[in-house]
């Protein structure tokens, strides 16, 4: 197909969009709302993932030793821990140190500790830093197997909970995605059906003068793609402003939350939305053309 | 040019539209198809336009056997035909020029070729001065002339006209018929379905009369009918 022909068909698509302005507006809005929700979910999910990995990288593994391990055995244990692959730093915290830290943390309520009667229930411990956040779990598990180690903690609860939430979010997102895609497909194919109907005379004439199916269908396909990508674009712009506002607020109030920085993240999301919109538009009009256009 | 051999067509409603029809139309002929409503005229026209296919029998158009022609090739065969309808079928939001250009855009003609051909056919139908008008600003006769211009702009070898004068007064009808004569003179085959007795009687061309799906008369220089 010649470029001039493509340009002509493109122009025809725009003319048709303008002619059915109300319907075009309705479908662009539907696409925009659907993709906005989709994009918001995407941003939420990606931020959760980001938070998980940020927290993981901060996680320290603490190995609590059995009270029976003393003296040389402790030194040996420290050496063994150092030998575990991925371990970068090991600090020994004695029972006494642990207790004084605890006392500090309790502050005003330190008097509670008097109930202990000079006994120290806290174990000796090693604080271990790991090279790579992904190694936290396997390292912790390896150390837990060692002789003399009572328990190993690595803040797994928070990380696991976040993981769990991300998983739920992902499932919820997929279900929602299904519904939204369905709704969007429906409205776009319906819009295209109306334009096919409005232009049936033209289609008939095209047929009689020998237009190929591709030639007849292309403007409608383009129309659907324009509807979809404009809807995606509207959603992308809205998300850009919403997300930058959110980042600003969060930074003001909850500075400790790790959120994905605006650039280039939001451009990728925006681009994806426009792309998805265009794809949905193309599929929507293809559905309509195969059902309502007999050529 | 066009050959039908033992063509039959029955619609799913049970109506027999064509019953064992054989006919042959040569290049450069001018043929009227006449007959009462329901005689099978429109089915024959639709078949020539490749819209309907025979249930039985062979249909050969411009050297292509319809039975062997893949569906995808049909548009290309249609490009060798020009079509004119009773209701003109112009695009209301396009100018006269654009309406004619529409047919050329589909065959992806070059800009120069387009300008040349359109000027030529608009000259032939006498509407050069109305190139920028919209269909609503034209009389019925003028609109039909635009439709003719569109039908012949791609230099078809066959022109198929379905009741082209059905909506026109006698004066405009004759103007249209003169244009068809002109087109025919350059060697283009013309097949025209019509109810217009005066035209058929005065033109003295080949007449094929259909009734109840059969050919009842095929005369080289016939009139509309002897029954009245």
């Amino acid at each position: 197909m010649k470029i001039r022909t493509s340009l002509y068909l493109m122009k025809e698509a725009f003319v048709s969009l303008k002619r059915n302005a109300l319907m075009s507006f309705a479908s662009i809005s539907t696409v925009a709302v659907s993709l906005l929700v989709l994009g918001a979910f995407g941003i939420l999910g990606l931020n959760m993932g980001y938070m998980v990995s940020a927290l993981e990288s901060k996680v320290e593994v603490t190995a609590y030793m059995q009270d029976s391990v003393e003296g040389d055995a402790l030194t040996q244990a420290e050496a063994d821990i150092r030998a575990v692959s991925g371990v970068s730093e090991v600090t020994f915290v004695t029972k006494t140190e642990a207790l004084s830290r605890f006392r500090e943390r309790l502050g005003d309520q330190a008097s509670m500790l008097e109930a202990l009667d000079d006994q120290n229930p806290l174990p000796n411990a090693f604080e271990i830093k790991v090279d790579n956040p992904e190694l936290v779990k396997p390292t912790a598990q390896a150390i837990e197997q060692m002789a003399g180690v009572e328990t190993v903690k690595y803040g797994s609860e928070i990380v696991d909970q976040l993981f769990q939430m991300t998983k739920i979010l992902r499932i919820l997102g997929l279900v929602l995605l299904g519904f939204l895609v369905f709704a969007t497909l429906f409205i776009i194919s319906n819009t295209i059906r109306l334009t096919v109907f409005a232009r049936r005379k033209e289609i008939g004439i095209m047929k009689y003068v020998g237009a190929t199916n591709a030639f007849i269908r292309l403007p409608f396909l383009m129309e659907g793609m324009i509807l979809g990508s404009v809807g995606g674009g509207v959603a992308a712009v809205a998300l850009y402003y919403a997300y930058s506002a959110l980042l600003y607020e969060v930074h003001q109030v909850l500075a400790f939350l790790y959120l994905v920085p605006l650039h280039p993240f939001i451009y990728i999301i925006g681009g994806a939305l426009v792309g998805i919109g265009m794809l949905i538009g193309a599929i929507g009009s293809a559905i309509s053309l195969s059902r309502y256009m007999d050529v | 040019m066009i050959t039908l051999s033992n063509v039959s067509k029955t619609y799913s409603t049970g109506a027999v539209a064509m019953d064992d029809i054989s006919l042959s139309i040569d290049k450069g002929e001018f043929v009227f198809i006449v007959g009462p409503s329901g005689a099978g005229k429109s089915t024959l026209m639709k078949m020539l336009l490749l819209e309907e296919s025979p249930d039985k029998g062979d249909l050969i158009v411009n050297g292509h056997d319809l039975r062997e022609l893949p569906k995808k090739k049909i548009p290309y065969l249609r490009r060798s035909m020009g079509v004119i309808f009773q209701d003109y079928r112009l695009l209301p939001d396009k100018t006269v020029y654009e309406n004619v250009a529409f047919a050329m855009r589909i065959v992806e003609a070059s800009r120069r070729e387009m300008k040349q051909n359109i000027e030529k056919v608009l000259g032939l139908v006498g509407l050069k001065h109305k190139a920028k008008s919209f269909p609503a600003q034209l009389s019925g006769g003028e609109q039909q002339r635009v439709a003719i211009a569109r039908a012949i702009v791609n230099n078809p070898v066959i022109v198929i006209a379905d009741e082209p004068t059905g909506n026109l007064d006698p004066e405009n009808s004759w103007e249209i018929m003169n244009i068809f004569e002109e087109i025919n003179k350059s060697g283009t085959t013309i097949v025209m379905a019509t109810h217009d007795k005066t035209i058929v009687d005065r033109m003295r061309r080949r007449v094929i009369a259909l009734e109840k799906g059969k050919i009842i008369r095929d005369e080289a220089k016939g009139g509309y009918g002897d029954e009245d």
Side-chain angles (χ1 to χ4, degrees), chain A residues 2 4-5 19 205 208 210, chain B residues 51 79 89 93 108-109:
Chain A
K2 290 181 182 174
R4 192 159 56 85
T5 310
R19 200 182 303 157
I205 296 166
Y208 287 124
Chain B
E51 252 184 285
R79 290 179 191 183
R89 301 202 188 170
D93 55 347
E108 306 204 74

Side-chain angles (χ1 to χ4, degrees), chain B residues 57-198:
Chain B
D58 287 327
L59 172 60
I60 296 170
V61 178
N62 203 12
H64 294 275
D65 188 338
L66 258 290
R67 201 186 293 279
E68 280 156 21
L69 193 75
K71 231 186 152 187
K72 275 193 139 173
K73 288 270 164 49
I74 287 181
Y76 298 96
L77 183 51
R78 281 201 182 120
R79 290 179 191 183
S80 61
M81 299 191 264
V83 196
I84 294 142
F85 297 97
Q86 180 173 3
D87 55 357
Y88 327 131
R89 301 202 188 170
L90 301 175
L91 298 171
D93 55 347
K94 287 190 191 316
T95 63
V96 165
Y97 187 92
E98 266 302 317
N99 262 288
V100 180
F102 191 69
M104 290 197 85
R105 288 192 191 282
I106 279 156
V107 298
E108 306 204 74
S110 74
R111 204 184 291 264
R112 199 170 51 89
E113 208 182 339
M114 234 158 106
K115 202 167 168 301
Q116 253 175 18
N117 284 20
I118 295 170
E119 267 175 26
K120 201 182 96 193
V121 293
L122 283 183
L124 181 75
V125 300
L127 284 175
K128 238 182 192 170
H129 59 294
K130 298 254 169 133
K132 290 199 170 94
S133 306
F134 286 90
Q137 300 167 313
L138 303 178
S139 73
E142 286 171 327
Q143 290 190 46
Q144 191 60 298
R145 274 143 66 192
V146 176
I148 295 173
R150 181 181 62 196
I152 60 171
V153 74
N154 286 331
N155 296 313
V157 291
I158 308 166
V159 168
I160 293 163
D162 195 359
E163 304 274 0
T165 58
N167 287 353
L168 302 177
D169 57 35
E171 201 181 318
N172 274 309
S173 297
W174 279 112
E175 217 168 314
I176 297 289
M177 291 316 294
N178 287 335
I179 294 169
F180 277 116
E181 287 249 84
E182 209 56 46
I183 296 166
N184 182 238
K185 263 184 204 156
S186 64
T188 309
T189 310
I190 294 180
V191 181
M192 184 182 300
T194 187
H195 274 122
D196 198 323
K197 186 176 183 314
T198 337

Side-chain angles (χ1 to χ4, degrees), chain A residues 16-31:
Chain A
S16 167
L17 283 172
K18 234 168 80 185
R19 200 182 303 157
N20 299 321
L22 199 66
M23 201 60 207
S24 304
F25 179 75
S27 30
I28 287 174
S29 315
T30 316
V31 176

Side-chain angles (χ1 to χ4, degrees), chain B residues 12-65:
Chain B
S12 51
T13 53
V16 178
M18 291 171 86
D19 184 8
D20 197 31
I21 285 186
S22 294
L23 66 88
S24 168
I25 297 169
D26 289 333
K27 183 170 162 44
E29 272 197 273
F30 194 132
V31 183
F32 287 114
I33 312 279
V34 301
S37 306
K41 258 186 320 176
S42 7
T43 305
L44 176 60
M45 294 312 264
K46 277 184 183 161
M47 227 170 248
L48 297 181
L49 293 173
L50 316 169
E51 252 184 285
E52 298 278 1
S53 50
D55 293 342
K56 257 187 269 171
D58 287 327
L59 172 60
I60 296 170
V61 178
N62 203 12
H64 294 275
D65 188 338

Side-chain angles (χ1 to χ4, degrees), chain A residues 172-194:
Chain A
L172 212 66
L174 278 176
V175 172
L176 202 69
L177 176 75
F179 278 115
L180 292 177
V181 166
F182 186 76
T184 330
L185 278 178
F186 180 77
I187 186 99
I188 287 189
S189 72
N190 214 35
T191 308
I192 299 300
R193 187 175 66 116
L194 288 179

